[in-house]
Amino acid sequence: MATQRKDVVNAPAGGWGALNAVETHLARQETLIRGNRALLSMNKPGGFDCPSCAWPDPREPHTFEYCENGAKAVAWEATRKRATPQFFAEHTLEELKTWTDHDLESVGRLTHPMRYNAATDKYEPVTWDEAFGEIAAQLRPLDPRRVELYTSGRASNEAAFLYQTFGRLLGTNNFPDCSNMCHETTTVALPESIGVGKGTVDLEDLEHCDAMLIFGQNPGTNSPRMLGYLHDMAKRGVPIVTFNPLKERGLVAFANPQNAVEMLTGWGQKISSQYYQVRAGGDIAAIQGVCKAVIAAHDEARNRGGKQVLDVDFIERHTHGCEAFATYVREMPWERLEHYSGLCRADMEAAAAVYMNAERVVACWGMGITQHKHGGDAMQQIVNLMLLRGNIGRKGAGACPIRGHSNVQGDRTVGIYQKPKEPFLKKMDEVFSFTSPRAPGHDVAECCEAILRDEVDAFVSLGGNFFRAVPDNDRIAAYTPRLRLTAYIATKPNRSHVAHGQRSYLLPCLGRTERDEQNGVVQSITVEDSFSMVHDSTGLLAPASPELKSEIAIIAGLAKATVGERAKIDWDAYVADYSLIRDTIEAVFPDQFSQYNRRIAQPGGFRLPNAARERKWNTPTGRANFLFKEGLFDSDDDAPESDHLQLITLRSHDQFNTTIYSNNDRYRGIRNERKVVFMNRRDIKSLGLDEGATIEFTAMAGDGIDRRVSGFRVVTFDIPPGCCAAYYPETNPLLALSHRDQRSNTPAAKSVPVRVTAMQPGDPVSAETDVPEHGCNRSKDPQTVPLA
Ligand SMILES: Nc1nc2c(c(=O)[nH]1)N[C@H]1C(S)=C(S)[C@@H](COP(=O)(O)OP(=O)(O)OC[C@H]3O[C@@H](n4cnc5c(=O)[nH]c(N)nc54)[C@H](O)[C@@H]3O)O[C@H]1N2
Ligand SMILES: Nc1nc2c(c(=O)[nH]1)N[C@H]1C(S)=C(S)[C@@H](COP(=O)(O)OP(=O)(O)OC[C@H]3O[C@@H](n4cnc5c(=O)[nH]c(N)nc54)[C@H](O)[C@@H]3O)O[C@H]1N2
Ligand SMILES: [Mo]
């Protein structure tokens, strides 16, 4: 039975629940011994990098430098369950299409390369050589502009670099990448403001800041190791100001499993000193309100000859556009800011007071900022606020986008980019003696559009679950039978693999936890975290199957078979010794990766240069820019008075993107259920619904396409009226492809206009079903034992 546990919702995050959950997930995957050994070496020098999120590792790691959700990710990869050729012999893809995300991945690790047989509608074993040869034969005659090479952010720097080399040799810049659905907003908008697309802080800055702002990010679930830092900050008395429509437990209170008193009392440490439940998409107004209050305080101080509030010296020497921005927010009426943010003036002024009292401020943001139609504008308002008091480019202060996948930032750094810059292409040409294609390629949205226009012949993916994670996924997946070729490099079966092209291959790879031995030598790979630290990662577990190849070996195999003669590249040498790939990365990016192999040998690795951190501004004005757009509030269908709800699609505590570990969401009190909708009490009432009612969502995209998903149960939640929330990816069919950030094409997954209607008993429910009871000992599940 699905339930919401109110007693659990109010307990702090972390605590015994987190420790219990680690053991449960290890046990369910039958990995107790393997997994525990693995956990001890995670995020340590000489060990492997956690395959979950992109939170950085400290220089002096704790014994248990992992979190509950990192442990789940390791258990999931180190499972003893296997998706063998026999499994595939027993199931047609027609049948597997009806399985849930959870059930497909639960089959376990892929063990053999597999080829689709249309006559039997099954995947059947194939040798690696046959697979490489056949895929190459398919790819070679194609127009390279009709080939898409997708990357998910778990791929190592070495794998990603070879992959983009392969693509460019093939003749395409079509590199749709999971970051196009994630922090692309930041990658596009942040350079306009400060000249770099990455965060400017490191872990030391977090130890020195004296106020923290958190916008649209749920660290308790998605980067739980950050909670340790927030916990310590809060204990030091550092105010933490959160802007988030949902009351997220990890941002309210946290019981640190390493703190005996907190564990015994179950009380935990209060995290956010102030918690502002902004409307979905209301951050632009909220932040401009905070800026307005800061500027007003400055104006007032100036009039009475008091101490300056703004960092006037910094603004004069380092920025552009401050006066225009100040005039704009001075003139903006409070009523409008209140209306669009959902906050009251006093809230924005109180947040401003914290900001002004602090000498060193760090601002973090996540998907609650980036996944909006005006996501880039919202992000730039955060920077404006930071610039007002010189909070970028000095110790204890800075901009801190929290990336998602563990190496999504590194993949971009080494060339996974659909719009490559000329200096990089020139270097590639020089190093490999060929001519890279110059025409811009496709990002995720453009790739989807090309698929819908029948302009794609082949789709190759390096990890991920493209046809499940993209917006409008049902519509797009329906087109895969028209693709001539799909080839998936993956660890576990998922929905994309059953949404196959006319020819399709599963190419099973080693996971990051596994020992990668080439010619008898254990190889390491490298990754870059959210704070631009590059370090190595060495797997130690026995591979899930002797047939597995590393991602690097698979990409090299494909490249050699497909484009082997197009450049003088010794692909076999790269596979035999990954340090040679790093030497080549260094040759292509000498400024960033100088002495790459030597520098990853030092504990903790090295930091990539970041000009904004040094107060060098690589922008057209040569300065940090105050940016804003007028009229953003006027024309919008996001307006709060509209007749629909804004649906926020987000993650539960027991999922990693499309990987669903279980149906529980402990911190939101949800047990054994994923099709729920979190709603404000007032909206439930005004729509004539009751708690527990079953509803259907209808998207209001305005393009004439009927998008619905149904069978969601109403749960009352602390969320502003006009907004509701439900889990991704179950809600992805509601997201119109065109509903996206205007500049970066990042899907606006945090403000999907929907209508919610009650269903009657007997109404058909959309095919998506909840994870069934089988497979895990849910009846004895200790995860919801309330804290002491
Ligand atoms: N365990 C686990 N870890 C993960 C992942 C996972 O799925 N599971 N995914 C990884 C990936 S790829 C990513 S990108 C990150 C994602 O990590 P997050 O950025 O935390 O992503 P979400 O869970 O989508 O939720 C974002 C938060 O934004 C809030 N929000 C929604 N709309 C708004 C808004 O308009 N304004 C504001 N201020 N807040 C809003 C939501 O309430 C939610 O708390 O996590 C990474 N780490
Ligand atoms: N509605 C909505 N949609 C969203 C989002 C949202 O918040 N709302 N978030 C977006 C975001 S931020 C992101 S990043 C994307 C995520 O999109 P993706 O990155 O494409 O999806 P994942 O679910 O992370 O991919 C899981 C699959 O990766 C494979 N895998 C796991 N480990 C490895 C490995 O080591 N190597 C290889 N080769 N394969 C591996 C497994 O087969 C697994 O099934 O989704 C986006 N979509
Ligand atoms: Mo992401």
Side-chain angles (χ1 to χ4, degrees), residues 98-130:
T98 65
W99 288 32
T100 64
D101 299 293
H102 175 270
D103 283 356
L104 280 172
E105 282 210 35
S106 287
V107 178
R109 294 287 301 278
L110 295 161
T111 59
H112 289 73
M114 306 294 288
R115 172 179 57 202
Y116 178 64
N117 180 345
T120 57
D121 189 36
K122 288 175 180 171
Y123 276 114
E124 296 168 353
V126 62
T127 67
W128 281 108
D129 282 346
E130 282 170 323

Side-chain angles (χ1 to χ4, degrees), residues 52-55 67-70 72-73 152-153 178 181-183 214-224 242-248 251 275-284 286-287 365-372 402-406 408 647-659 661 668 717 719 723-725 728 749-751:
S52 193
C53 76
W55 185 255
C67 68
E68 173 192 343
N69 280 344
K72 285 177 202 162
S152 171
C178 75
M181 300 183 263
C182 185
H183 262 294
I214 303 177
F215 298 91
Q217 192 221 342
N218 182 20
T221 286
N222 296 321
S223 36
T242 292
F243 292 80
N244 196 312
L246 274 76
K247 263 286 171 61
E248 301 283 26
L251 288 165
Y275 204 118
Y276 297 119
Q277 289 181 271
V278 64
R279 218 171 54 74
D283 298 84
I284 296 179
I287 302 162
W365 66 92
M367 298 300 101
I369 291 293
T370 63
Q371 294 179 334
H372 281 292
I402 306 289
R403 303 270 161 179
H405 268 295
S406 52
V408 63
L647 169 67
I648 296 170
T649 64
L650 40 53
R651 293 150 170 84
S652 80
H653 193 60
D654 273 9
Q655 78 183 80
F656 190 94
N657 298 340
T658 68
T659 295
Y661 301 126
R668 299 192 188 105
F717 205 81
I719 181 172
C723 311
C724 62
Y728 130 77
K750 297 293 186 269
S751 52

Side-chain angles (χ1 to χ4, degrees), residues 637 644 698-707 734 736 738-739 753-754:
D637 52 5
H644 51 262
T698 312
M700 314 278 295
D703 59 1
I705 297 173
D706 188 21
R707 295 181 182 85
L734 294 170
S738 56
H739 185 63
V754 291

Side-chain angles (χ1 to χ4, degrees), residues 11-59:
W16 291 109
L19 289 188
N20 283 334
V22 170
E23 289 306 324
T24 310
H25 282 269
L26 288 170
R28 273 190 199 152
Q29 297 302 318
E30 299 158 22
T31 59
L32 203 47
I33 302 156
R34 276 167 56 108
N36 273 340
R37 194 174 135 229
L39 291 177
L40 286 174
S41 78
M42 191 146 94
N43 300 327
K44 303 263 187 54
F48 62 85
D49 182 69
C50 177
S52 193
C53 76
W55 185 255
D57 304 339
R59 273 197 193 276

Side-chain angles (χ1 to χ4, degrees), residues 30-247:
E30 299 158 22
T31 59
L32 203 47
I33 302 156
R34 276 167 56 108
N36 273 340
R37 194 174 135 229
L39 291 177
L40 286 174
S41 78
M42 191 146 94
N43 300 327
K44 303 263 187 54
F48 62 85
D49 182 69
C50 177
S52 193
C53 76
W55 185 255
D57 304 339
R59 273 197 193 276
E60 284 168 16
H62 306 123
T63 316
F64 293 97
E65 194 48 58
Y66 67 89
C67 68
E68 173 192 343
N69 280 344
K72 285 177 202 162
V74 170
W76 199 248
E77 185 168 294
T79 179
R80 291 215 181 99
K81 301 177 186 177
R82 297 289 178 269
T84 59
Q86 197 190 337
F87 165 80
F88 286 105
E90 287 163 5
H91 304 280
T92 61
L93 296 199
E94 218 30 60
E95 184 204 334
L96 293 179
K97 278 180 190 159
T98 65
W99 288 32
T100 64
D101 299 293
H102 175 270
D103 283 356
L104 280 172
E105 282 210 35
S106 287
V107 178
R109 294 287 301 278
L110 295 161
T111 59
H112 289 73
M114 306 294 288
R115 172 179 57 202
Y116 178 64
N117 180 345
T120 57
D121 189 36
K122 288 175 180 171
Y123 276 114
E124 296 168 353
V126 62
T127 67
W128 281 108
D129 282 346
E130 282 170 323
F132 292 153
E134 291 171 17
I135 294 170
Q138 286 281 307
L139 286 175
R140 287 167 71 99
L142 296 181
D143 176 345
R145 290 168 302 180
R146 298 175 63 96
V147 176
E148 304 283 346
L149 301 173
Y150 177 64
T151 310
S152 171
R154 209 175 272 193
S156 63
N157 280 359
E158 292 78 359
F161 179 78
L162 289 193
Y163 192 60
Q164 64 84 25
T165 306
F166 167 46
R168 296 199 157 104
L169 281 165
L170 201 61
T172 184
N173 286 315
N174 289 343
F175 290 106
D177 167 16
C178 75
S179 82
N180 301 143
M181 300 183 263
C182 185
H183 262 294
E184 191 68 48
T185 314
T186 302
T187 306
V188 170
L190 192 57
E192 293 174 1
S193 293
I194 61 169
V196 299
K198 298 179 182 180
T200 67
V201 302
D202 64 14
L203 284 175
E204 231 181 281
D205 291 320
L206 297 191
E207 283 156 16
H208 288 94
C209 75
D210 55 13
M212 174 79 146
L213 310 177
I214 303 177
F215 298 91
Q217 192 221 342
N218 182 20
T221 286
N222 296 321
S223 36
R225 286 186 297 138
M226 179 175 170
L227 281 191
Y229 285 83
L230 295 179
H231 178 270
D232 292 355
M233 280 181 195
K235 272 221 153 23
R236 289 204 315 272
V238 172
I240 296 170
V241 183
T242 292
F243 292 80
N244 196 312
L246 274 76
K247 263 286 171 61

